[in-house]
Amino acid sequence: METTDKKSFYETVFKDSLEVIIDATKIGLWDWHLPSGKVIYSKQWEHIMGYDEGELPQTVESWENAVLPEDLAIAEKAITDYLEGRTTSYEAEFRTVCKNGDIIWAQDKGTITEWDEQGNPVRLVGVLQDIDRIKKVEEELSQQKAQLDFVAQLSELGTWDWDLTTQTISYNDEYLHMLGYTQDEITGTMEEWEEFNHPEDLVLSLQKLDDYLAGKADSYSCEIRMRHKLGHYIWTLDMGRISEWDEHGAPIRVLGGHLNIDKLKKAEERLQDALREIETYNLTLQDEIKKGIRDIEKKDILLNGVNQVASLLISAEEQDFTHMLWQSLGILGQSIGVDEVYIWQNEIVNNALGCYQVGRWAEGGITGQTAPFSRATYRDFGAEWERTLKSGTCINGIVEQMSPADRDRLAGYNIQSLLVIPIFMQNKFWGFIGFSDHKNARLFTETEESILQSGGLIIGAAMLRNEINKNLVTAKEEALSNAQAKSTFLANMSHEIRTPMNAIIGMTTIARNADSADKVNDCLMKIENASRHLLGIINDILDMSKIEAEKFELSSEEIVFEKMINNICNISSTRAEEKHQNFVVDIADDVPHSIVTDELRLSQVITNLLSNAVKFTPEHGTIKLIVNQLGKADGKSELEFVVQDSGIGIDTEKQSVLFNAFEQADRGISRRFGGTGLGLTISKRIVDLMGGEFHVSSELGKGSRFSFRIPVMVGSGSATASDVDVVPHGDYDFAGKRLLLVEDVDINREIVMTLLEDTGLAIDCAENGLVAFELFSANPDAYDIIFMDIHMPILDGYGATEKIRALNFAKARQTPIIAMTANAFAEDVEKCKRAGMNDHIAKPINLSEVLAKAQKYLFG
């Protein structure tokens, strides 16, 4: 009895201790009966989730509803994999929502404890632990690591790890990047590291390592040159500390890093050079102490001048910058004792490096000087100027001692001595600052060069800062202007869209109440015109949307050039006739018969230009379309298209916004003439994508001339003048043929069936792609042609076409399938063809096109 009581006592103590441990570690227990979905949650589980004991329903749904949806699928997969034997245990981490709405991270683990007679799992028991604090610590550590990596990368610090037991070294990526290597190119041996060392530095670095490892120094630190993969050496500060010892206290591991100090060392070397120059200068000119003192005074004056320039430009406001720049150049000029100082900034001129003068100071009335703010290429200065300055070398000399070419070029400027110092900004050749002495023939010292180079760099940096500030202001103004332009554009679009919509709705009402066929026909004609106008607006907006999203693409096919021009002119000449305008077309004889291009987009550009010309030219005016071939070589041709009119013209100042999206040269234009204002923008982008150039010249009241040039491939001659034969509507006879019309919208089916009613064509309908597939596969010989919509429920047109083409009989591959869809872009047409369709008809459908393509594919 005593033994039993003691056992009960220990069990109670163990149970209480276990309860304490479970509470302290925030662990909840659960027991899931799989067939019933019942789950027993421990009070600790409920406490973790913020519920009182017994408050939470004991079902698996309680757990599913608490886990975030994006994590639930992962957890459920882990359970399924375990239950189906793909893993040896169940374990998952997920976020779960507590009763009060807080989201915490939890770790769930479980194991099967019971199976049924067939060996299927019946019971799954496990634990859930609150690991939210652990996750937050992991996140903080990850952020700290990222920050440390960033600091290391920014400071060019690489790390290494030296295992003394194996004599192998591992490097991080930043270390290897510093030397130009990748991990795959490194063996990690001590011998390799020694080979990286400059021979002159290796003895010292090894000695310092040995002293540190032997306890003779508190740390290892050594400045050494390391060989880059390309062969040159980089100065580094190598540092390291012992991080691990063996049981006898001997070091077995050293961690360290390499800091790139190459720029610092080179700067020190330059400083040492300058100091050596001063020392040599003082030693060799002992007998001219007074002259040396005067030189030092000159240097002090020059340094003070550079400091004044720095202070002046740091405090310069944008509105005063030009004056401050002129004043700064004057300070440098007076400090060095020259008559003229100028600063030039680089630019690209006709694919050649050029520059323009952005500032100039001159003392007195010096004649024959360069005009302020002039432009030139470096070839204008001299054959060697660009190469010399790009290399970072100054041009310093007495003019009389220079090359004959330089001497002749500078003769007109009355210059005795010249110093030109290159300026580099962000490691790029930015421009130069020049100093001209018109009175004295002298050479500028290296120290003067160095000090003046600092002055030039300060001025260049200030100019760059001022330019950035101006660009920020300009960008802000442009953003405000664009916002206003878009607001105006939206208001204009509301008017442009509502106007034809009003005509459509109004004419529909009038036609419904009309008492004569003539009145109904008149209304229908006006409804058709308004609808096509509305379609044009929608197409412009869609094109602009694709351009803004950078998803505007071109296609290429061989076309007959004359056919394309005739199609365009048939439309434009009709509009011109309505305004009694003179429409002239002039195509040069040498323009190729066929070309390879995107016919739709090229036609769109020409049509836009002609449409604008007709719109903005008064009655009895003249419109010309001119096409010339500018050049032809290697199967390529450069074509020029010109649209010239005698219309209202465009003010010179307003021509700069012609191609801006959402803007018109005159915002009153939209009210007087209508239109989206997107036509020229779209046309310009199309020409750019074709690799061409767009030009405009215009004079207010005297007309405009729009032209563009594009390169095209000359066609092989395989294109024909007509793709389909168009005959009058009443002459089509499709009796004995059957069409499968696949269209999910009732009214669209009614339109096609009504339009084809007089042709004798039998029509079966399918309201989605799956029904179409079933009808065709059940009786493939019944159908001679298929009109296929694209966007449909259950199965779309692409899927239906692919399933039909995959059927194992000849008719499935031979029956023509024509896409009939509102997806009208070139990429949509290509996608239809890739799915197995033969051709494409865009919605809203054109009856002539439908009849012609039906004729082509039914009778070949």
Side-chain angles (χ1 to χ4, degrees), residues 397-462:
I398 299 171
V399 173
E400 283 298 322
Q401 298 174 0
M402 291 184 176
S403 67
D406 285 344
R407 192 168 58 244
D408 293 342
R409 187 167 41 256
L410 296 171
Y413 299 100
N414 194 28
I415 298 174
Q416 300 294 317
S417 301
L418 179 69
L419 173 62
V420 180
I421 301 174
I423 299 175
F424 289 84
M425 303 291 293
Q426 299 174 342
N427 295 324
K428 293 183 179 179
F429 180 34
W430 180 88
F432 64 83
I433 185 170
F435 302 85
S436 299
D437 192 330
H438 296 258
K439 301 184 183 70
N440 304 306
R442 59 162 169 165
L443 287 174
F444 297 87
T445 68
E446 291 185 12
T447 303
E448 289 171 334
E449 283 185 11
S450 179
I451 296 173
L452 290 174
Q453 189 170 34
S454 299
L457 187 60
I458 291 170
I459 293 175

Side-chain angles (χ1 to χ4, degrees), residues 263-547:
K263 294 180 181 178
L264 178 62
K265 292 293 290 185
K266 289 179 178 177
E268 288 179 355
E269 290 173 359
R270 287 196 297 270
L271 179 60
Q272 290 297 327
D273 290 342
L275 292 174
R276 282 193 293 272
E277 178 189 343
I278 294 173
E279 183 179 1
T280 302
Y281 179 80
N282 289 332
L283 290 173
T284 57
L285 298 179
Q286 289 288 335
D287 56 343
E288 298 183 13
I289 299 292
K290 292 182 181 180
K291 183 178 179 180
I293 293 174
R294 285 197 301 269
D295 288 340
I296 294 174
E297 289 175 348
K298 286 181 181 180
K299 293 172 187 174
D300 288 340
I301 292 172
L302 190 53
L303 286 170
N304 288 333
V306 171
N307 289 333
Q308 288 182 48
V309 169
S311 300
L312 192 67
L313 292 178
I314 286 173
S315 61
E317 298 292 338
E318 182 183 336
Q319 61 271 21
D320 302 325
F321 188 80
T322 301
H323 176 72
M324 294 295 191
L325 174 62
W326 176 83
Q327 192 172 345
S328 298
L329 296 177
I331 291 172
L332 290 181
Q334 292 169 348
S335 298
I336 195 64
V338 297
D339 309 291
E340 186 181 13
V341 184
Y342 32 82
I343 189 164
W344 292 66
Q345 184 173 347
N346 289 341
E347 64 177 353
I348 300 299
V349 180
N350 296 327
N351 296 323
L353 184 63
C355 51
Y356 60 98
Q357 193 178 88
V358 291
R360 173 178 172 270
W361 169 88
E363 185 175 49
I366 303 171
T367 60
Q369 295 176 356
T370 306
F373 307 105
S374 61
R375 277 179 158 80
T377 64
Y378 278 90
R379 290 191 294 266
D380 298 326
F381 292 115
E384 296 298 316
W385 274 49
E386 180 177 351
R387 181 188 61 79
T388 301
L389 295 177
K390 269 187 175 181
S391 69
T393 306
C394 299
I395 296 173
N396 181 4
I398 299 171
V399 173
E400 283 298 322
Q401 298 174 0
M402 291 184 176
S403 67
D406 285 344
R407 192 168 58 244
D408 293 342
R409 187 167 41 256
L410 296 171
Y413 299 100
N414 194 28
I415 298 174
Q416 300 294 317
S417 301
L418 179 69
L419 173 62
V420 180
I421 301 174
I423 299 175
F424 289 84
M425 303 291 293
Q426 299 174 342
N427 295 324
K428 293 183 179 179
F429 180 34
W430 180 88
F432 64 83
I433 185 170
F435 302 85
S436 299
D437 192 330
H438 296 258
K439 301 184 183 70
N440 304 306
R442 59 162 169 165
L443 287 174
F444 297 87
T445 68
E446 291 185 12
T447 303
E448 289 171 334
E449 283 185 11
S450 179
I451 296 173
L452 290 174
Q453 189 170 34
S454 299
L457 187 60
I458 291 170
I459 293 175
M463 291 179 63
L464 186 60
R465 183 202 66 189
N466 188 62
E467 184 177 348
I468 291 173
N469 289 339
K470 287 196 295 185
N471 289 340
L472 289 174
V473 172
T474 302
K476 178 181 177 182
E477 293 173 349
E478 288 180 354
L480 292 174
S481 176
N482 288 339
Q484 179 61 40
K486 288 188 176 182
S487 177
T488 304
F489 169 78
L490 290 175
N492 184 34
M493 284 305 95
S494 176
H495 169 77
E496 284 297 316
I497 292 173
R498 288 174 183 271
T499 298
M501 284 299 297
N502 181 63
I504 293 169
I505 295 171
M507 286 296 114
T508 301
T509 302
I510 293 173
R512 186 180 294 116
N513 298 325
D515 55 3
S516 70
D518 290 341
K519 185 63 176 176
V520 171
N521 287 334
D522 179 63
C523 290
L524 292 176
M525 180 184 69
K526 292 175 180 176
I527 289 171
E528 182 180 9
N529 290 338
S531 299
R532 295 195 180 281
H533 178 59
L534 180 60
L535 180 61
I537 294 172
I538 293 171
N539 284 338
D540 276 354
I541 295 173
L542 291 176
D543 278 348
M544 198 63 227
S545 298
K546 292 177 77 67
I547 288 172

